[in-house]
């Protein structure tokens, strides 16, 4: 049964914003007391937060779909809807978040570091918030904005100072068990270690972490064995320790050839060329192992490596190795630039930035893209004529109609607002007037209506009746 997972695909969905409420205050002797519809609540965010108590992505492997709660709709009496609760997802230290194209979105290192994987939708405004001097009693409210939904990939890169690399059964697990309090699985067959093991080592005043990476074999950087799955765990380490088996029973292997193979795999993986290297000749408690270690020590030192002869079983040479690694780690920590406080950078928009773009596509459609127009469209109830008129007012004030004219749009041309997958398409009519004074009954907008003959006949009859009444009042029977 799987107990360790270091790469998962997570499907997150933030909460939708609550709809605004269209309501009119009513009480005794005051049937029309003005709009009192409340705003909708904000949808909850999906937030990834580093938690030191979490060491694997196993939970997200079993349940990869996560969704935050929606905001509640507004109510009458100026009661706003409740905001949705944020969904906090704990992740291990060293988790890298990528999009579906492999681009890095966040590198989460350090307890409490967070990343908003899904942004909750805004709540819609109620008609009380939409009221103005010209629009005293709006008969509509704005819809809540949908929450952000996307797929992300999470990869765990172990945060350790020292990484033990080498062939399977080279003694890495035994070495980490005697250097630290870690208790990895140890056996006399290859690929005993199937997951990275972490241990904490104290050498004098220096405390550092050491990772036992599963055994590498030729072709690991191309996916053979377990190497490709776990090579990412050595990326953050300050020093690489080559653990070489001096008592191998395979006739075609020796410490020098093993070192060359592992170095080639690290080179193929990339990004590890400048990391300090240390060579550990393990299993010198075996007579043949001691003799072989003495034979290859000179060649290794001539290549520039610091060489240590140790025996994890007999526990010889461990103190010298531990303090040497502590010195390298201390130097690496001192060489790192000091972390500066996060600076708040304000980037104001350019004076000529309209906040949207108008482009003409090959099929003749004029596409409008921009944060405000797309958000306004998502929050518009197209079943309400007055809400559609309000959208037309906002787009006109933003300058969309003016830009459409400059782009060559004519009456009847198709205009799409938003991306192709969920765009709103309509036939453009540049002669449509904008202004709240054109609004009729609640929920209606005469700018979008065809002429109404019945209404015109009623007005004509009323005018004839008024003329008849005036004529009767002016009639004098004695003249």
């Amino acid at each position: 049964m799987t107990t360790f997972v270091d790469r998962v695909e997570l499907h997150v969905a933030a909460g939708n914003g609550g709809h605004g409420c269209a309501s009119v205050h009513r009480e005794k002797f005051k049937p029309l007391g003005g709009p009192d519809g409340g705003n909708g609540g904000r949808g909850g965010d999906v937030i990834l937060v580093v938690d030191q108590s979490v060491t694997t992505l196993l939970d997200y492997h079993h349940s990869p779909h996560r969704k935050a709660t929606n905001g509640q709709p507004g109510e009458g009496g100026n009661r706003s809807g409740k905001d949705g609760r944020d969904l906090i997802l704990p992740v291990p230290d060293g988790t890298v978040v990528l999009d579906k194209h492999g681009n890095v979105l966040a590198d989460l290192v350090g307890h409490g570091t967070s990343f908003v994987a899904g942004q909750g939708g805004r709540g819609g405004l109620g008609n009380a918030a939409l009221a103005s001097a010209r629009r005293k009693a709006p008969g509509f409210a704005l819809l809540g904005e949908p929450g952000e939904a996307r797929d992300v990939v999470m990869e765990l890169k172990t945060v350790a100072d020292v990484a033990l690399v080498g062939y399977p059964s080279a003694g890495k697990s035994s070495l980490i068990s005697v250097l630290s309090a870690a208790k990895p699985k140890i056996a006399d067959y290859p690929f005993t270690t199937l997951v990275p093991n972490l241990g904490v080592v104290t050498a004098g005043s220096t405390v550092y972490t050491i990772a036992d990476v599963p055994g590498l074999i030729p072709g690991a950087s191309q996916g053979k064995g377990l190497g490709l799955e776990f090579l990412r765990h050595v990326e953050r380490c300050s020093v690489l320790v080559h653990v070489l088996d001096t008592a191998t029973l395979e006739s075609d292997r020796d410490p020098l050839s093993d070192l060359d193979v592992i170095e080639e795999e690290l080179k193929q993986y990339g990004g590890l060329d400048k990391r300090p290297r240390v060579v550990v000749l393990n299993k010198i408690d075996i007579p043949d192992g001691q003799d072989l270690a003495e034979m290859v020590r000179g060649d290794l030192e001539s290549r520039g490596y610091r060489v240590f002869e140790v025996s994890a079983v007999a526990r010889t040479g461990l103190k010298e190795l531990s303090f040497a690694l502590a010195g390298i780690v201390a130097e690496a920590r001192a060489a790192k630039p000091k972390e500066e406080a996060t600076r708040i950078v304000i980037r104001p928009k350019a004076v000529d930035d309209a906040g949207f773009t108008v482009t003409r596509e090959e099929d003749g459609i004029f596409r409008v893209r921009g944060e405000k127009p797309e958000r306004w469209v998502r929050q518009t109830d197209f079943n309400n004529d007055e809400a559609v008129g309000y959208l037309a007012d906002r787009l006109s004030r933003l300058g969309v109609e003016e830009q459409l004219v400059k782009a060559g749009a004519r009456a009847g041309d198709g205009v799409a607002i938003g991306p192709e997958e969920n765009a709103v398409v309509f036939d453009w009519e540049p002669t449509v007037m904008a202004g709240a004074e054109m609004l009729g009954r609640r929920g209606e907008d005469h700018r979008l209506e065809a002429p109404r003959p019945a209404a015109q006949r009623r007005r004509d009859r009323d005018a004839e009746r008024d003329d008849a009444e005036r004529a009767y009042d002016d009639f004098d029977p004695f003249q």
Side-chain angles (χ1 to χ4, degrees):
M1 179 176 172
T2 302
T3 58
F4 179 85
V5 174
D6 63 349
R7 189 180 190 277
V8 297
E9 183 175 357
L10 187 65
H11 312 279
V12 298
N16 300 328
H19 299 330
C21 176
S23 172
V24 176
H25 179 69
R26 291 180 174 86
E27 60 181 80
K28 191 175 183 180
F29 306 118
K30 191 184 294 185
L32 296 176
D36 66 348
N39 303 331
R42 178 188 63 85
D45 298 335
V46 180
I47 307 175
L48 306 179
V49 180
V50 174
D51 189 340
Q52 296 289 1
S53 63
V54 179
T55 59
T56 177
L57 300 174
L58 182 62
D59 289 344
Y60 308 111
H61 172 73
H62 293 306
S63 55
H65 296 271
R66 301 299 178 100
K67 188 181 187 307
T69 57
N70 299 329
Q72 298 298 315
E75 300 179 2
N78 293 307
R79 289 174 292 181
S80 297
K82 184 179 179 181
D83 292 341
R85 293 191 304 273
D86 294 338
L87 179 60
I88 307 298
L89 301 179
V91 297
D93 193 5
T95 300
V96 179
V97 185
L98 308 97
D99 62 14
K100 59 183 180 180
H101 302 294
N103 302 315
V104 177
L105 301 177
D107 193 353
L108 305 179
V109 178
H111 182 72
T113 306
S114 62
F115 169 70
V116 179
Q119 185 76 44
R122 301 186 186 186
L125 296 179
N127 64 343
L130 297 173
S132 64
R134 294 189 303 172
R135 188 184 297 104
K136 297 183 182 298
F140 68 98
L142 298 185
L143 303 179
E145 188 178 6
E148 183 181 13
R150 63 177 173 179
D151 301 333
V152 297
V153 176
M154 296 193 298
E155 291 184 350
L156 175 59
K157 296 182 179 180
T158 303
V159 180
D161 300 300
V162 179
L164 304 180
V165 296
Y167 262 79
S169 296
K172 301 183 298 299
S173 298
S174 300
L175 191 59
I176 195 175
S177 67
V178 295
L179 286 174
S180 67
K183 301 298 181 184
K185 182 179 179 181
I186 301 173
D188 58 352
Y189 53 84
F191 296 110
T192 305
T193 303
L194 300 178
V195 300
N197 295 305
L198 280 177
V200 179
V201 182
T202 302
S205 60
T206 304
V207 179
Y208 60 92
T209 56
I210 186 169
D212 166 23
V213 180
L216 305 179
I217 61 174
S221 58
Q222 280 74 44
K224 293 184 179 180
L226 301 175
L228 185 60
E229 295 296 326
F230 299 109
L231 271 172
R232 71 172 71 97
H233 292 278
V234 304
E235 291 186 18
R236 303 186 191 275
C237 299
S238 302
V239 57
L240 299 177
V241 178
H242 285 282
V243 181
L244 304 180
D245 187 357
T246 60
T248 179
L249 299 178
E250 301 179 31
S251 58
D252 58 341
R253 285 180 49 198
D254 63 81
L256 294 179
S257 62
D258 288 357
L259 177 64
D260 294 337
V261 169
I262 301 303
E263 278 292 333
E264 180 62 25
E265 296 307 319
L266 295 175
K267 180 180 179 182
Q268 292 294 331
Y269 185 76
L272 303 171
D273 298 337
K274 297 182 179 179
R275 304 295 170 85
R277 262 74 161 170
V278 171
V279 173
V280 171
L281 298 173
N282 194 21
K283 303 183 182 179
I284 62 170
D285 55 295
I286 300 175
D288 293 341
Q290 178 66 57
D291 295 340
L292 184 57
E294 294 176 356
M295 292 174 58
V296 300
R297 184 184 183 99
D299 293 336
L300 294 172
E301 291 178 344
S302 64
R303 297 187 184 185
Y305 294 108
R306 294 181 62 180
V307 181
F308 296 87
E309 298 180 9
V310 303
S311 171
V313 176
R315 303 200 175 192
T316 58
L318 299 179
K319 184 176 181 180
E320 295 80 359
L321 174 62
S322 177
F323 276 86
L325 295 177
I328 298 175
V329 170
E331 292 177 2
R333 291 175 179 173
K336 286 184 178 180
K338 295 183 179 179
E339 295 184 1
E340 298 181 357
T342 303
R343 300 178 60 185
I344 300 176
V345 180
I346 300 177
R347 296 183 176 87
K349 293 184 178 180
V351 177
D352 57 349
D353 185 7
F356 66 93
T357 59
V358 177
T359 57
R360 183 170 186 173
E361 300 181 348
E362 296 179 356
D363 55 359
I365 295 291
F366 291 85
R367 187 169 300 278
V368 180
R369 296 300 308 272
E371 179 185 356
K372 286 185 177 180
E374 294 180 25
R375 173 161 53 86
W376 293 346
V377 166
R378 289 194 297 267
Q379 293 186 312
T380 298
D381 180 7
F382 287 94
N383 294 321
N384 187 307
D385 292 342
E386 190 177 349
V388 176
Y390 178 67
L391 173 64
D393 290 346
R394 302 176 88 179
L395 294 176
S396 178
R397 289 194 298 267
L398 188 62
V400 173
E401 184 167 329
E402 180 181 356
Q403 292 298 322
L404 286 171
V405 173
K406 292 182 179 180
R410 298 181 179 180
D413 288 344
V415 175
I417 301 179
E420 294 184 4
E421 55 271 14
N422 55 359
V424 174
V425 184
F426 59 92
D427 294 333
W428 185 52
E429 294 294 338
T431 58
V432 174
M433 298 177 60
E437 68 280 355
M438 300 295 296
L439 300 179
R441 294 181 300 174
R442 290 174 54 79
E444 295 182 356
D445 191 331
H446 296 311
R447 293 170 297 178
L448 304 179
E449 296 179 355
R452 302 175 61 185
Q456 184 62 41
R457 288 195 298 269
R458 184 168 59 252
R459 287 193 294 268
D460 293 341
R461 288 197 303 268
D462 293 342
E464 292 177 359
R465 184 182 59 191
D466 293 342
D467 293 340
E469 291 177 353
R470 285 194 297 269
Y472 178 80
D473 294 337
D474 296 338
F475 175 70
D476 188 353
F478 299 101
Q479 290 183 354

